[in-house]
């Protein structure tokens, strides 16, 4: 198990302090003086309005401390990992923030949270505090009964209740708003993995081909174990399950990441939802974002609430907490037409039998050397140099009948565009730059020389850096006054010289020098073999 932490017992304290250290521009602080009391709260709170307090076990960040601030929570009580905070910590938070307007506790439907927050509520009332408590049970995996868990929909309730409190509503009204939101909210989770709560001996219950639908945020087994499928199929399973529990009204849907899903995939999940049964009912989208996570769980959850005007007003109201991602209308993507790009084949095709012979032979040489060059590149790079040159050859060969062979200038420009749009790898791009620049010159010899200089400028490598430039520079210099045979000899000498050169550019620059010994640069070798083969035709 590889994780960034010092000790499991100190992690919650260190995480809270890290949050505060990185929130200098906010009005956050924490209670001090007791090692087992972890409360993050607003230091600008004046008790003139209803306080909103929530919390639970840690490991769900940014919930709940990340939502403390104007417009949402007044305080968050953080327990140990996946464990309810103790009664004293909850009571301390209530006593610190509750004024005459009172305090509302928003609690997830777990036994520990119900008991500890409930007892703290009774103790606070005995001390004369006006405190109310609501329990969120938004998870529909086990049905919407007494056993429904409180999961990510809790954040929606916090946002809606926080808006009402910030607007100056009474405790009774804030509680009712929260109860209405709880009743209307439904959530479902789907994950490809369970969660490891800092246990070096942890063994996952899911194999590589299994996922779970309807699992809890503490790693509780899902209501259903399903097979791993492509994203669209998994998104449809979650969306269809959730939709069964929704009204026919338009919905605001929150897409919550459970901890380990990268941003790229999170955004793809939202796109996949556009192709599900939920899409036609979705008027607004919240996220994708980590809101109620489960440490390293690789999954997501969907929460929905009818998009009634008061709800949308509450969800769109600005808040201070950084973790609230905002809400946006869910609609078709907006596009603009791509600007007209230069035609690949901008010039009329023309024939030249000798030049066509050279092109076909050159392509044959590069294709035949593909495996050898890949094997050479595998010794010092990622093993695709031969494929890059061979693909460039195939691209040119495929459209050889459309090339303006009688005009060297037009031919270079066309090859440059062909390579730019079809050839892969940095070598293909560099060669495209060289030919494109050559196509802008009046003379093909000086054009290739100018293109080589431009390649050198953009690519950053120089002769002596152990790249294909070590073969190209001497070869093109030889072409200025000599023959193709002279260019081939110069390219071979340049390629062989790379065997003893230090690597200062390309992937080889990351390879230990001893491993490079007596191995030529694959790009330079490709240029040398190409010109040697072509020289035999002249």
């Amino acid at each position: 198990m590889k994780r960034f932490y010092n000790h499991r017992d100190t992690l919650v304290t260190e995480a809270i302090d890290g949050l505060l250290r990185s929130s200098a521009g906010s009005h956050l602080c924490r209670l001090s003086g007791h090692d087992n009391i972890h409360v993050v709260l607003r230091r600008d709170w004046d008790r003139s309005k209803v306080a909103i307090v929530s919390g639970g076990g840690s490991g769900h960040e940014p919930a709940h401390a990340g939502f403390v601030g104007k417009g949402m929570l007044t305080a968050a009580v953080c327990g140990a990992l996946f464990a309810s905070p103790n009664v004293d910590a909850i009571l301390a938070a209530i006593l610190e923030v509750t004024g005459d307007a009172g305090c509302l506790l928003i609690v997830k439907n777990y036994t520990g949270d119900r008991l500890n927050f409930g007892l703290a509520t009774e103790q606070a009332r005995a001390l004369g505090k006006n405190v109310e408590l609501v329990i969120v049970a938004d998870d529909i995996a086990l049905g919407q009964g007494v056993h429904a868990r409180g999961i990510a929909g809790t954040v929606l309730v916090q946002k809606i209740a926080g808006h009402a409190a910030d607007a100056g509503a009474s405790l009774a009204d804030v509680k009712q708003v929260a109860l209405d939101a709880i009743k209307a909210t439904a959530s479902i989770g789907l994950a490809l993995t369970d969660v490891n709560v800092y246990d070096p001996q942890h063994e996952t219950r899911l194999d590589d081909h299994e996922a779970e639908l309807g699992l809890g945020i503490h790693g509780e087994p899902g209501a259903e174990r399903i097979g791993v499928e492509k994203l669209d199929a998994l998104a449809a399973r979650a969306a269809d399950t959730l939709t069964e529990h929704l009204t026919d009204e338009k919905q605001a849907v929150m897409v919550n990441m459970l901890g380990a899903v990268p941003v790229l995939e999170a955004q793809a999940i939202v796109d996949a939802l556009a192709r599900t049964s939920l899409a036609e009912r979705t008027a607004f989208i919240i996220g994708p974002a980590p809101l109620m996570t489960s440490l390293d769980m690789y999954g997501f959850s969907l929460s929905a609430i009818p998009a009634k005007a008061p709800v949308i007003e509450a969800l769109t109201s600005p808040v201070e907490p950084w973790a609230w991602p905002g809400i946006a209308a869910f609609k078709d993507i907006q596009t603009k037409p791509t600007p007209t790009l230069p035609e690949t084949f901008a010039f009329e095709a023309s024939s030249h039998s000798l030049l066509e012979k050279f092109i076909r032979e050159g392509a044959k040489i590069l294709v035949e050397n593909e495996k050898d060059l890949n094997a050479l590149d595998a010794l010092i790079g990622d093993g695709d140099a031969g494929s890059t040159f061979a693909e460039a050859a195939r691209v040119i060969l495929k459209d050889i009948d459309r090339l303006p062979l009688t005009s060297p200038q037009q031919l270079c420009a066309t090859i440059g565009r062909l390579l730019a749009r079809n050839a892969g790898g940095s070598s293909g791009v560099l060669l495209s730059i060289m030919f494109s620049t050559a196509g802008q010159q009046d003379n093909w010899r000086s054009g290739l020389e100018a293109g080589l200089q431009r390649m050198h400028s953009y690519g950053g490598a120089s002769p002596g850096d152990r790249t294909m430039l070590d073969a190209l520079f001497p070869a093109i210099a030889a072409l200025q006054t000599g023959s193709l045979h002279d260019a081939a000899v110069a390219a071979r000498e340049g390629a062989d010289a790379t065997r003893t050169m230090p690597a200062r550019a390309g992937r080889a620059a990351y390879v230990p020098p001893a491993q490079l010994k007596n191995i030529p640069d694959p790009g330079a070798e490709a240029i040398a073999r190409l010109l040697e083969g072509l020289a035999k035709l002249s």
Side-chain angles (χ1 to χ4, degrees):
M1 183 188 71
K2 294 191 290 187
R3 296 278 187 87
F4 293 109
Y5 73 113
N6 293 312
H7 193 281
R8 175 176 169 146
D9 293 343
T10 63
L11 183 55
V12 173
T13 299
E14 292 164 354
I16 289 173
D17 286 355
L19 170 66
L20 297 177
R21 292 181 192 280
S22 59
S23 305
S26 67
H27 301 284
L28 299 184
C29 66
R30 65 171 172 82
L31 297 183
S32 63
H34 291 268
D35 291 340
N36 61 344
I37 290 180
H38 301 296
V39 177
V40 176
L41 66 157
R42 292 177 59 179
R43 55 186 170 86
D44 62 338
W45 186 245
D46 63 5
R47 302 189 181 190
S48 64
K49 297 177 180 178
V50 173
I52 307 293
V53 176
S54 190
S58 295
H60 305 302
E61 288 69 24
H64 298 279
F67 297 111
V68 175
K70 181 176 172 57
M72 286 193 73
L73 299 181
T74 313
V77 192
C78 307
L81 289 167
F82 290 1
S84 177
N86 61 68
V87 175
D88 282 349
I90 301 166
L91 180 61
I94 296 171
L95 296 177
E96 180 62 30
V97 301
T98 304
D100 292 339
C103 175
L104 177 69
L105 301 182
I106 299 177
V107 182
K108 297 186 296 298
N109 192 24
Y110 293 99
T111 302
D113 287 341
R114 288 199 313 270
L115 293 176
N116 290 0
F117 277 87
L119 180 53
T121 298
E122 296 305 318
Q123 290 182 355
R125 287 171 176 167
L127 294 172
K129 300 297 182 180
N130 188 11
V131 183
E132 295 290 346
L133 180 147
V134 296
I135 296 176
V136 182
D138 57 309
D139 185 9
I140 53 89
L142 303 175
Q144 291 179 295
V146 295
H147 300 296
R149 298 169 292 212
I151 54 175
T154 306
V155 178
L156 295 178
V157 178
Q158 293 169 351
K159 180 69 173 72
I160 293 168
H163 171 72
D166 192 58
S170 67
L171 178 58
D173 288 341
V174 173
K175 179 181 179 181
Q176 188 59 53
V177 165
L179 288 173
D180 291 343
I182 290 169
K183 183 179 180 180
T185 302
S187 300
I188 188 71
L190 186 151
L192 305 181
T193 70
D194 53 14
V195 57
N196 180 358
V197 193
Y198 296 88
D199 177 10
Q201 307 304 317
H202 173 75
E203 293 184 7
T204 180
R205 62 175 177 268
L206 299 175
D207 65 30
D208 290 343
H209 307 290
E210 293 178 316
E212 282 187 331
L213 180 66
L215 72 174
I217 57 173
H218 303 103
E220 305 96 324
E224 182 180 1
R225 190 169 295 189
I226 61 177
V228 174
E229 301 178 82
K230 290 185 177 180
L231 172 57
D232 276 3
L234 292 174
R237 289 293 297 269
D240 291 347
T241 303
L242 181 64
T243 302
E244 293 175 4
H245 294 263
L246 303 181
T247 65
D248 292 334
E249 302 164 279
K250 290 291 185 180
Q251 305 284 321
V253 175
M254 184 174 76
V255 185
N256 169 58
M257 297 299 112
L258 287 169
V261 179
V263 173
L264 182 70
E265 294 178 28
Q267 293 170 339
I269 289 170
V270 173
D271 183 60
L273 291 178
R275 295 181 288 277
T276 69
S277 59
L278 185 59
E280 62 185 28
R281 300 194 200 184
T282 303
F284 296 90
I285 195 83
I286 300 159
L291 294 117
M292 180 81 69
T293 64
S294 184
L295 290 175
D296 64 343
M297 187 182 289
Y298 209 107
F300 67 92
S301 65
L302 305 175
S303 301
I305 186 171
K308 297 179 179 179
V311 169
I312 299 307
E313 179 184 352
L315 295 178
T316 55
S317 63
V319 294
E320 181 184 34
W322 59 269
W324 175 251
I327 181 171
F330 188 69
K331 55 186 178 182
D332 291 338
I333 60 173
Q334 303 299 303
T335 65
K336 293 181 69 175
T338 301
T340 302
L341 298 173
E343 290 287 339
T344 302
F345 300 98
F347 308 106
E348 184 177 351
S350 57
S351 59
H352 189 292
S353 59
L354 180 59
L355 188 54
E356 181 177 340
K357 179 181 179 181
F358 271 87
I359 292 175
R360 290 188 181 278
E361 181 62 22
K364 178 183 176 184
I365 292 168
L366 293 176
V367 171
E368 288 178 345
N369 281 275
E370 179 176 4
K371 290 184 178 180
D372 283 350
L373 292 172
N374 279 344
L376 188 63
D377 189 37
L379 298 174
I380 58 175
D382 54 3
D384 68 348
S387 296
T388 297
F389 283 97
E391 180 59 24
R394 294 185 185 101
V395 164
I396 295 172
L397 199 59
K398 175 177 175 290
D399 288 306
I400 193 169
D401 294 335
R402 303 179 69 183
L403 299 179
L405 298 180
T406 57
S407 170
Q409 179 188 26
Q410 294 177 0
L411 177 61
C412 285
T414 302
I415 289 177
R417 286 194 290 270
L418 266 174
L419 294 179
R421 290 176 178 171
N422 297 281
S426 57
S427 297
V429 175
L430 289 169
L431 291 171
S432 171
I433 290 172
M434 184 179 77
F435 281 107
S436 296
T437 303
Q440 300 171 28
Q441 312 299 315
D442 293 331
N443 179 278
W444 69 270
R445 293 177 187 267
S446 60
L448 288 176
E449 191 171 44
L452 185 60
Q453 290 295 335
R454 195 67 57 83
M455 179 196 291
H456 160 62
S457 174
Y458 282 118
S462 300
D465 286 348
R466 205 178 197 281
T467 69
M468 68 176 172
L469 293 185
D470 290 299
L472 278 173
F473 262 104
I476 290 178
L479 273 179
Q480 301 307 306
T481 56
S483 65
L484 188 57
H485 175 76
D486 296 328
V489 171
R492 170 50 59 198
E493 292 176 351
D496 288 345
T498 63
R499 292 175 178 270
T500 58
M501 288 180 184
R504 290 188 286 261
R507 293 185 183 273
Y510 304 100
V511 178
Q515 191 173 328
L516 298 174
K517 188 176 181 180
N518 206 35
I519 299 175
D521 174 73
E525 183 67 20
I527 299 300
R529 293 188 186 188
L530 172 64
L531 292 177
E532 286 173 334
L534 293 178
K536 295 177 182 179
L537 297 180
S538 58

